[in-house]
Amino acid sequence: MKYLNYQSTVGQLLLAASERGLSGVYFENHKHFKGSAGWQEDESDPILNQARQQLQEYFAGQRQDFDVPLDLSAGTEFQQEVWAALRRIPFAQTSSYLALAQGIERPKAVRAVGAANGRNPLSIIVPCHRVIASNGALTGYAGGLQNKEALLMLERKFSK
């Protein structure tokens, strides 16, 4: 696994990539990040540089969708299904855990959808920050609720 650190407007992010694609975007105190022991820092990796460029464009309000190659193979089949559904939530829009569960035709799997959402290794790129509680409250975010709120505010700012 290769990685590089990227200083974003929401703090330090660690970008990780396999040979297949981008496999992680982790905040400094990311809840489910197991660490980068044994990984190789690589400032010249083309996938990592493409991800960094696209994130810079996102934070500048110049990008709403990402097309960097992704490697989501670390997730279970169910997690990958949820992560694919997250990518369909439009920029600056939100969805609820219930709506996400209904969208993948598993309306009783709200808690499992929430757990899969929380295990998303590709923060921002796979926009799990766009999922909120049915009552509109900001709940759970592996990168911290302050970052979730900042990302939602940034998207609202640039959607006008």
Side-chain angles (χ1 to χ4, degrees), residues 28-148:
E28 263 186 288
N29 296 311
H30 202 95
K31 187 175 181 180
H32 301 291
F33 182 54
K34 295 183 181 9
S36 59
W39 294 5
Q40 176 186 353
E41 187 168 10
D42 188 347
E43 294 279 333
S44 65
D45 182 81
I47 291 171
L48 293 172
N49 280 306
Q50 183 182 4
R52 176 173 43 197
Q53 178 65 38
Q54 289 188 13
L55 283 165
Q56 287 171 339
E57 293 166 359
Y58 169 84
F59 286 114
Q62 301 165 342
R63 174 174 290 275
Q64 296 185 359
D65 298 302
F66 298 91
D67 58 10
V68 62
L70 303 180
D71 177 3
L72 296 168
S73 62
T76 66
E77 188 176 317
F78 177 77
Q79 288 172 327
Q80 289 181 39
E81 186 178 1
V82 171
W83 300 340
L86 291 171
R87 295 188 73 204
R88 293 189 292 270
I89 303 171
F91 183 84
Q93 301 295 313
T94 57
S95 183
S96 69
Y97 296 98
L98 175 60
L100 202 58
Q102 291 169 335
I104 62 169
E105 298 181 6
R106 297 177 190 228
K108 295 184 182 197
V110 176
R111 293 178 72 94
V113 164
N117 191 63
R119 295 290 181 170
N120 168 27
L122 287 156
S123 298
I124 306 167
I125 305 282
V126 175
C128 53
H129 61 277
R130 295 180 188 154
V131 182
I132 60 174
S134 293
N135 67 3
L138 296 186
T139 59
Y141 189 60
L145 284 179
Q146 74 282 2
N147 287 324
K148 182 174 190 163

